[in-house]
Amino acid sequence: METREMNTRSFSSSHNRDLPYKVGVPPKQKLWKEFLSALKETFFSDDPLRPFKDQSRSRKFVLGMQAVFPIFEWGRTYNLAKFKGDLIAGLTIASLCIPQDIGYAKLANLAPQYGLYSSFVPPLIYAFMGSSRDIAIGPVAVVSLLLGTLLQEEIDPINNALEYRRLAFTATFFAGITQATLGILRLGFLIDFLSHAAIVGFMGGAAITIALQQLKGFLGIKKFTKNTNIVSVMQSVLTSAHHGWNWQTIVIGATFLVFLLFAKYIGKKNKKLFWVPAIAPLISVVLSTFFVYITHAEKKGVQIVQHIEKGINRPSVKEIYFTGDYLLKGVRIGIVAGMVALTEAVAIGRTFASMKDYQIDGNKEMVALGAMNVAGSMTSCYVATGSFSRSAVNYMAGCQTAVSNIVMSIVVFLTLQFITPLFKYTPNAILSSIIISAVIGLIDYDAAILIWKIDKFDFVACMGAFFGVVFVSVEIGLLIAVSISFAKLLLQVTRPRTALLGKIPRTHVYRNIQQYPEASKVPGVLIIRVDSAIYFSNSNYIKERILRWLTDEEEQLKAASLPKIQYLIVEMSPVTDIDTSGIHALEELHRSLQKRSVQLILANPGPVVMDKLHESKVSNLIGEDNIFLTVADAIQTCSPKFSDEV
């Protein structure tokens, strides 16, 4: 009896193994539930309301405040040890940001004090609302140049300084509105459309453009081109060589540029000496200012900063254009500048968060950046964002929380209140040297080489953005970067990969023959894998590509006098979705194969695909007996002798 039962179980088990497992049709979901599920996954994938579940009303209020102002969450565990780290970091980045801010304001064609204003109010707001512990907030070179370039195309910054400043505040306001809106509507994924390769190229091109722009101050040239492309700049530099250069200015600029680069070299060689390149710009400003003051070099043609307005930010709400001709121009410039600033800040935040192994909320970051720029536009600031050089110094100086931004902001406040008159004799050449030394780090050779090795199309995007910025303009370079990124995306969507599969020896595994040359084809069977969802944009191409695979295979078999193809198996594991056009393409493929006396077989369609095949009756057309769980199951039915060979 026991032996008979064991034999019966064994036979039953063996029999079950011989029968291929049928592909199930998922239970039908209600349309509303399906829509809500898709909506949640698109906009609320991080489930932001999860902490509020099953909480009291008072607790929900506290959690809500912490969600908007993260400082209330981490502030509860703040202590003296953390403050020591933040104090040192804040003082260090303040020494770096003060001379940089004066120079970056000039890049934006604004008076020097506006650069300092932008490192006072925005960092304070970010410290309360931001989720990154390491980002140092303030003006940055790329955004300053972009803003200055776009603004001067609309208004002359010299002859119409007031209107120019008002348009700058308007652009800053709408940059903040753009950033905050993206965060509130949870549309942060939009910035990911600008690929890493395009950003590398854009930043490198912008760095060279910024450095070239500094030749005006570095060489002491008074008449300089307003264009940013390399041809116009070099033409302007060379034509003024005989009468426009000032040798005293060149000596000051070159001397301190060498000093700054040497300080950077020391900081790279020994990480413990990170403070050397951090305070080098401030030391350069102090020494060069003192030198010009005692020698009266300004009387010999050395251009100086002259006057920096004393006092903290003045209200500028009334200066923002909310009506009139400049409103739409401010909106357009603000959106572009806001998106670039946002991309840079999020990239910096993610980089340092991964280094310290903590998470930042991208949507909260956008809201925080947007709020600080909206507030900044109302307090005489222009677009501020996360600075990579300052954030790196902040990180190496041992910052613990966003309090380092508050410390930096207080130092800038004291500078505006008491120290700005001392910058009167600061030579423009030293500001140019500081900016040149700062932007050199934006040219990432290693990243470009790695992009070349990994993906040639990405390298084209990188170089397109780079040459667009260098040879045309910053906005054209940005447009090229976005265009190539979208072109790559469209190419991948419209021309997905397909692969011919074969059986790995001594297994029941089927893999790409190109990757595994030892994989063998199944006699009379062609196995093709589609590596993409099937949509209207690629359905016709996929159908034609599969038929082309079949034609090529049949020609090879005919030449070798081998049996024709009887079965065509489409491996659908990577096919995550299919639309109406995709369904029609499958129907057309089935009809084309019938004319060739070839049976279409599907392997492992996912739940979404299977549901749509069932609803459209395509599963009946193909035959439910011709839809299998795996390729091995399909081969077991089509070519059982080959399937048994292991």
Side-chain angles (χ1 to χ4, degrees), residues 104 107 138-145 341 344 382-388 390:
Y104 291 160
L107 270 181
V140 296
V142 174
V143 177
S144 299
L145 175 69
E344 188 170 354
Y382 73 94
V383 181
T385 186
S387 164
F388 192 85
R390 270 176 259 176

Side-chain angles (χ1 to χ4, degrees), residues 173-377:
F173 176 81
F174 286 106
I177 292 293
T178 301
Q179 293 168 337
T181 302
L182 288 174
I184 292 167
L185 298 180
R186 306 186 70 80
L187 298 173
F189 59 86
L190 292 177
I191 64 171
D192 292 330
F193 281 101
L194 194 60
S195 68
H196 171 71
I199 292 170
V200 169
F202 175 74
M203 289 294 188
I208 289 176
T209 301
I210 291 165
L212 289 172
Q213 290 290 303
Q214 300 316 302
L215 292 176
K216 177 185 179 183
F218 192 84
L219 301 173
I221 302 170
K222 292 182 180 178
K223 291 184 179 179
F224 200 71
T225 180
K226 290 183 179 178
N227 297 322
T228 59
N229 65 80
I230 190 171
V231 176
S232 299
V233 171
M234 293 312 297
Q235 210 170 23
S236 184
V237 169
L238 294 173
T239 51
S240 61
H242 297 295
H243 55 83
W245 293 13
N246 181 275
W247 70 266
Q248 292 96 334
T249 301
I250 296 171
V251 169
I252 293 170
T255 302
F256 284 100
L257 180 59
V258 170
F259 168 69
L260 290 165
L261 294 176
F262 181 67
K264 269 196 165 187
Y265 174 76
I266 291 172
K268 279 186 178 180
K269 290 292 284 184
N270 189 343
K271 297 295 182 184
K272 291 181 180 179
L273 298 175
F274 67 88
W275 53 271
V276 173
I279 65 167
L282 190 60
I283 291 171
S284 301
V285 167
V286 171
L287 292 177
S288 62
T289 303
F290 180 70
F291 175 77
V292 170
Y293 177 73
I294 61 171
T295 60
H296 293 287
E298 78 280 4
K299 295 179 180 178
K300 298 175 183 177
V302 174
Q303 296 174 31
I304 56 175
V305 171
Q306 292 181 345
H307 176 67
I308 299 179
E309 194 171 310
K310 189 179 177 182
I312 60 171
N313 312 34
R314 292 179 303 176
S316 55
V317 182
K318 293 180 180 178
E319 294 188 41
I320 298 172
Y321 288 112
F322 290 110
T323 55
D325 296 336
Y326 288 123
L327 174 61
L328 288 178
K329 293 175 181 178
V331 172
R332 178 179 61 82
I333 296 169
I335 290 172
V336 174
M339 290 295 283
V340 173
L342 193 59
T343 303
E344 188 170 354
V346 171
I348 292 167
R350 286 174 179 169
T351 300
F352 288 104
S354 65
M355 290 168 71
K356 282 191 175 179
D357 193 26
Y358 68 91
Q359 297 292 323
I360 64 166
D361 188 323
N363 291 299
K364 283 183 184 177
E365 284 295 286
M366 292 175 204
V367 173
L369 291 164
M372 77 181 194
N373 277 315
V374 168
S377 68

Side-chain angles (χ1 to χ4, degrees), residues 528-547:
I528 297 170
R529 188 182 68 221
V530 178
D531 292 334
S532 165
I534 305 175
Y535 291 132
F536 65 93
S537 57
N538 61 23
S539 57
N540 195 51
Y541 168 79
I542 289 172
K543 181 198 73 176
E544 291 177 353
R545 187 70 186 94
I546 290 172
L547 291 173

